[in-house]
Amino acid sequence: MDGHQGLTALIESAWKELDGLDAGRRDLCLDVVGDVLETGRLTPDDAERAVERLVSIALSDEGHPVRESALNAVCAASMRYELPYGVVEPLAVGADAFEPLLLDYVLAILGATHDLAALPVVERFLQHPHSEVRRAAAEEVKELHWSRESARGEAAR
């Protein structure tokens, strides 16, 4: 088994374990998935499939530690892979349901797409009642504007 196969097998094992565990251990399985994504050694397609499942878990699981582990794993993936906005767009759609601590993750993930489609969603949180959320939103708005300016500069060359 080569390195890539070993990593995908590790993720598959974590998914199987995740399905059969209580919430107290589910977050540990998601940490394994995040660790694999953090290596940057999956194919983009494999990474996107894992992120899609993580996004689904973050939106549907009732346990805060599980949701946080899922979002943390997506953040890890967003540092190593260029995730298309469409893969994480369900987070944008469901952003209002996240508590402030988890919104930091969501905003970072949306900003990391470098896709201007995320900008209106991120800008909404500039008016959030929690200062930490407003700060995170401001950072990601800057990141998205920088991405736009950078893309314009490259197009002009």
Side-chain angles (χ1 to χ4, degrees):
M1 183 177 332
D2 69 18
H4 177 262
Q5 288 174 323
L7 292 172
T8 55
L10 192 57
I11 286 179
E12 286 306 315
S13 174
W15 292 142
K16 286 178 187 165
E17 219 176 307
L18 180 73
D19 292 336
L21 291 176
D22 60 10
R25 299 240 332 141
R26 289 170 53 89
D27 62 324
L28 298 176
C29 293
L30 296 173
D31 289 344
V32 169
V33 175
D35 289 346
V36 171
L37 286 165
E38 198 169 26
T39 69
R41 294 179 51 212
L42 294 176
T43 66
D45 287 343
D46 287 339
E48 287 176 24
R49 277 191 295 279
V51 166
E52 286 170 345
R53 184 151 184 197
L54 290 164
V55 165
S56 176
I57 291 166
L59 288 165
S60 65
D61 202 283
E62 295 175 15
H64 177 88
V66 173
R67 294 174 78 198
E68 185 173 20
S69 290
L71 290 170
N72 186 48
V74 176
C75 279
S78 72
M79 299 299 161
R80 297 292 188 173
Y81 302 92
E82 290 184 34
L83 298 175
Y85 178 69
V87 172
V88 298
E89 185 175 18
L91 292 175
V93 172
D96 292 320
F98 288 100
E99 54 268 33
L101 177 65
L102 299 183
L103 273 173
D104 283 352
Y105 290 105
V106 172
L107 294 169
I109 292 163
L110 295 175
T113 66
H114 303 287
D115 191 319
L116 290 179
L119 190 57
V121 176
V122 175
E123 286 177 330
R124 269 197 355 249
F125 290 96
L126 292 171
Q127 306 306 316
H128 196 274
H130 288 86
S131 62
E132 286 300 307
V133 173
R134 290 192 306 269
R135 180 200 50 76
E139 286 178 17
E140 297 312 324
V141 165
K142 285 180 190 174
E143 178 71 21
L144 289 165
H145 281 295
W146 177 84
S147 298
R148 177 177 61 190
E149 296 305 316
S150 180
R152 282 184 186 162
E154 287 179 22
R157 287 184 202 160

